[in-house]
Amino acid sequence: MKRDALFWLSLSYIGLVVILAVFASHIAPYSPYEIDPNNILKPPNIHHLFGTDRLGRDVFSRVVYASRISMEVSFIAVGISTSIGVIYGAVSGYFGGWVDALMMRFVDVMLTFPVFFLILAVVVVLGPSIFNVMVVIGLTGWMGIARIVRAESLKIRELGYVQAAKLLNKSDIYILFRHIIPNCLSPVVVYATLGVGSAILAESALSFLGLGVQPPTASWGSILSEGKDVIEVAWWMSFFPGMVIFLTVISFTIIGEKLKK
């Protein structure tokens, strides 16, 4: 891993995005809401690195501030899905038998639904907002983690230290949280890393369709959506946020794939 340049390049890029998100107010040269009628649809230049939009707002500043929204939504959504998946899978594998069969059939049913269209339907019902996007993405992305943890739990429950804990009359909850779950987390970290990229894509797609983060708050998807109407005369409005989404997702994917090995 130390000699893998692609891994460290991806990790460095993600670190840069996180720094942009945390210190957006210090890094962005302009306010993301600052309207300048004298600089409408200006191409990239020394004063506006990513050009300006239809209201004269600096696209670079909006992309920087949007990194905060996209990172927040994706990390919280993955945190929700990981928490649900780990607990659900650990309980299913630990108890086994009819409990396991029933719980896994529910997972199979959930997996039959196209995830993005399920997210889309729920967001339409609940209404577009940052909170709803985070919760909905989190509640529809736990099934894969649950299956991974369930497989690990089936193996771990047969190991000596778990059997010893049962002989000592330790409670099931104690065994689950002290022995089963902590020893299932290695593959979960890999899956969660890959899940961050998927969550960013889902949030960007919802914002692009107008069902995610609402104006004037900037997100990568909403900036991309604003650019599609003027792409013939202002290519930079679609190119730069699109490139940031691409690089961020591919970086998380590379990190997850490298951690698998």
Side-chain angles (χ1 to χ4, degrees):
M1 190 72 74
K2 290 180 180 179
R3 295 188 296 270
D4 196 322
L6 190 59
F7 171 80
W8 288 107
L9 184 62
S10 301
L11 194 62
S12 299
Y13 177 80
I14 296 301
L16 175 62
V17 173
V18 172
I19 291 173
L20 290 176
V22 174
F23 299 103
S25 57
H26 301 286
I27 295 173
Y30 303 94
S31 166
Y33 312 114
E34 183 180 341
I35 297 175
D36 185 359
N38 297 319
N39 282 302
I40 293 176
L41 294 180
K42 293 291 184 181
N45 55 66
I46 191 170
H47 300 292
H48 302 283
L49 297 179
F50 290 178
T52 61
D53 64 9
R54 291 183 297 179
L55 298 177
R57 296 173 297 188
D58 183 61
V59 175
F60 175 74
S61 298
R62 288 179 64 76
V63 169
V64 169
Y65 272 89
S67 63
R68 179 178 293 178
I69 298 297
S70 296
M71 289 293 103
E72 178 184 356
V73 170
S74 59
F75 282 125
I76 292 177
V78 170
I80 293 171
S81 62
T82 300
S83 300
I84 295 173
V86 166
I87 294 174
Y88 191 96
V91 170
S92 177
Y94 175 71
F95 287 104
W98 67 269
V99 175
D100 178 45
L102 184 62
M103 294 178 73
M104 284 300 103
R105 294 300 75 74
F106 178 71
V107 170
D108 293 339
V109 171
M110 290 294 294
L111 288 172
T112 61
F113 294 101
V115 175
F116 183 73
F117 290 106
L118 180 61
I119 294 173
L120 200 62
V122 175
V123 170
V124 168
V125 173
L126 296 179
S129 72
I130 296 177
F131 178 78
N132 288 345
V133 169
M134 290 188 296
V135 172
V136 170
I137 293 176
L139 292 179
T140 54
W142 56 270
M143 291 81 74
I145 294 177
R147 298 181 78 169
I148 292 172
V149 174
R150 180 249 183 186
E152 293 293 316
S153 182
L154 286 171
K155 294 187 296 184
I156 293 171
R157 70 174 185 171
E158 304 298 334
L159 297 180
Y161 56 86
V162 174
Q163 299 301 319
K166 290 181 178 179
L167 291 174
L168 292 171
N169 292 322
K170 298 294 184 180
S171 67
D172 292 329
I173 293 179
Y174 174 87
I175 295 173
L176 277 170
F177 285 93
R178 179 66 179 83
H179 297 299
I180 302 293
I181 291 178
N183 288 288
C184 292
L185 294 183
S186 294
V188 170
V189 172
V190 176
Y191 196 93
T193 303
L194 295 170
V196 173
S198 300
I200 290 173
L201 280 178
E203 183 278 324
S204 298
L206 289 172
S207 296
F208 182 84
L209 295 173
L211 297 172
V213 178
Q214 296 299 292
T217 303
S219 79
W220 293 335
S222 63
I223 300 172
L224 197 61
S225 179
E226 293 168 3
K228 76 179 188 301
D229 298 325
V230 292
I231 192 169
E232 293 182 356
V233 295
W235 58 268
W236 54 89
M237 282 190 62
S238 298
F239 176 78
F240 289 112
M243 185 58 64
V244 169
I245 294 171
F246 169 75
L247 291 175
T248 305
V249 173
I250 199 73
S251 294
F252 274 112
T253 302
I254 289 172
I255 291 171
E257 291 294 333
K258 298 295 183 182
L259 291 175
K260 274 184 179 181
K261 298 178 180 179

